[in-house]
Amino acid sequence: MFSQEFIEKIKTAERLTVLTGAGVSAESGIATFRDPDGLWAQFNPQEMASVDGFMSNPDLVWSWYQYRRETVFKAKPNAGHFAMAEIQDYFDPLTLITQNVDQLHQRAGSENVLELHGNIIENHCLDCGESHDDEIDIQNKEVPVCNFCGGKIRPSVVWFGEMLPEDVLYQAGAASEDCDLFLTIGTSGEVYPAAGLPMIAQDYGAYVVEINPNETVYSNRADEKIMLPFSQAMPMIAEIVKKYRTKV
Ligand code: OAD
């Protein structure tokens, strides 16, 4: 299932960098974006995930995020998330970069997760930027208003057309340049700049492995392709790590 080269890398790599996408949460019951039953097959990203969309219909967009939060709060991390957290002390370092906004990696025990696209748990004012995390009453379907400036409160996810958090993107780029093994898991590779990270890692000499049951833009380019779901592949990797490595 895994090549001898991949197994050797799991045993010996000093620095491991991992990029995850919506596919790692699929087995926790959270919809992906671009699969046939994904969110973007049912909803228009320009309407639901852009500042213009939010300004055109704030209550609709807010209630959609409330619905998604409800799903996230009910979901539980899967075996892949737990296996990922289990191996974090065996690499120096393991850098976990995620495009996901659901914080399932953190709930499974992963620390210092680089959230490229923000998260759906927190909120801030569109106008003054003030944090408003207390407004998460998932029964409330109308967009709340900032008590400092009267602006509309929005979820702290990165929307289309917005910049990624600069420090997070910088750290993600640095960890991609400076690793021996890079895993890209559960992402279609359609959204930049995240999608460019596996290529950066490969250009800088890392062994790049894709874990995804389906073909993606990386499939021909990665050094190795594991066509397994996250919840199966990750515990297999963790077994090898725990058998052959010691904690650092
Ligand atoms: P996509 O929906 O584009 O891709 C999900 C990928 O997960 C697909 O390639 C699936 O084949 C794969 N997949 C499905 N089930 C899997 C499983 N059990 N194990 C492993 N892989 C599985 O999601 P992302 O690539 O994460 O951005 O999308 C990137 C960004 O586009 C998201 O962060 C979001 C979206 O617009 C924002 O909201 C800013």
Side-chain angles (χ1 to χ4, degrees):
M1 182 61 71
F2 295 173
S3 76
Q4 203 49 45
E5 191 166 1
F6 183 27
I7 293 169
E8 278 308 309
K9 291 284 180 190
I10 299 170
K11 289 180 182 175
T12 61
E14 197 174 315
R15 295 172 301 275
L16 168 63
T17 299
V18 183
L19 171 68
T20 64
V24 306
S25 298
E27 293 161 282
S28 294
I30 298 176
T32 63
F33 294 94
R34 292 175 187 78
D35 288 311
D37 56 350
L39 292 175
W40 295 156
Q42 303 164 60
F43 301 96
N44 179 342
Q46 285 310 321
E47 279 173 19
M48 297 301 190
S50 74
V51 172
D52 286 350
F54 181 59
M55 290 314 288
S56 300
N57 203 338
D59 287 343
L60 174 74
V61 174
W62 178 259
S63 64
W64 189 60
Y65 282 91
Q66 292 290 67
Y67 157 75
R68 285 181 58 199
R69 279 177 181 140
E70 209 168 338
T71 311
V72 163
F73 287 138
K74 282 186 193 147
K76 294 191 175 67
N78 62 54
H81 291 107
F82 287 113
M84 183 74 75
E86 251 188 321
I87 65 167
Q88 65 190 337
D89 297 335
Y90 290 83
F91 294 87
D92 189 20
L94 186 162
T95 304
L96 176 54
I97 307 162
T98 191
Q99 298 165 85
N100 296 345
V101 295
D102 55 34
Q103 296 202 331
L104 288 187
H105 283 304
Q106 291 92 327
R107 280 169 55 194
S110 284
E111 292 167 9
N112 306 319
V113 180
L114 296 178
E115 292 179 319
L116 279 179
H117 294 164
N119 70 73
I120 203 169
I121 316 299
E122 294 167 340
N123 302 279
H124 64 272
C125 173
L126 181 69
D127 292 345
C128 73
E130 184 69 26
S131 291
H132 283 285
D133 298 338
D134 297 339
E135 276 73 7
I136 304 181
D137 168 4
I138 53 177
Q139 307 306 326
N140 173 11
K141 305 294 183 213
E142 283 169 24
V143 67
V145 171
C146 176
N147 51 2
F148 292 97
C149 76
K152 292 182 175 45
I153 293 173
R154 55 164 288 181
S156 296
V157 298
V158 175
W159 280 334
F160 287 103
E162 294 187 305
M163 303 291 287
L164 272 58
E166 204 177 330
D167 55 332
V168 175
L169 183 59
Y170 175 80
Q171 290 178 64
S176 302
E177 287 178 9
D178 189 20
C179 64
D180 311 299
L181 177 61
F182 187 104
L183 307 179
T184 174
I185 315 177
T187 177
S188 61
E190 299 285 344
V191 176
Y192 280 80
L197 297 174
M199 277 67 146
I200 291 173
Q202 200 171 40
D203 289 347
Y204 277 78
Y207 192 73
V208 176
V209 178
E210 174 176 62
I211 297 170
N212 195 315
N214 301 306
E215 296 287 331
T216 75
V217 294
Y218 302 125
S219 301
N220 289 328
R221 180 135 182 214
D223 295 298
E224 187 157 340
K225 163 96 183 159
I226 308 292
M227 292 197 85
L228 285 177
F230 178 56
S231 72
Q232 284 182 39
M234 206 58 221
M236 290 165 67
I237 293 171
E239 277 311 301
I240 300 169
V241 168
K242 287 186 287 180
K243 186 166 175 192
Y244 292 102
R245 300 182 67 104
T246 50
K247 290 191 179 182
V248 289

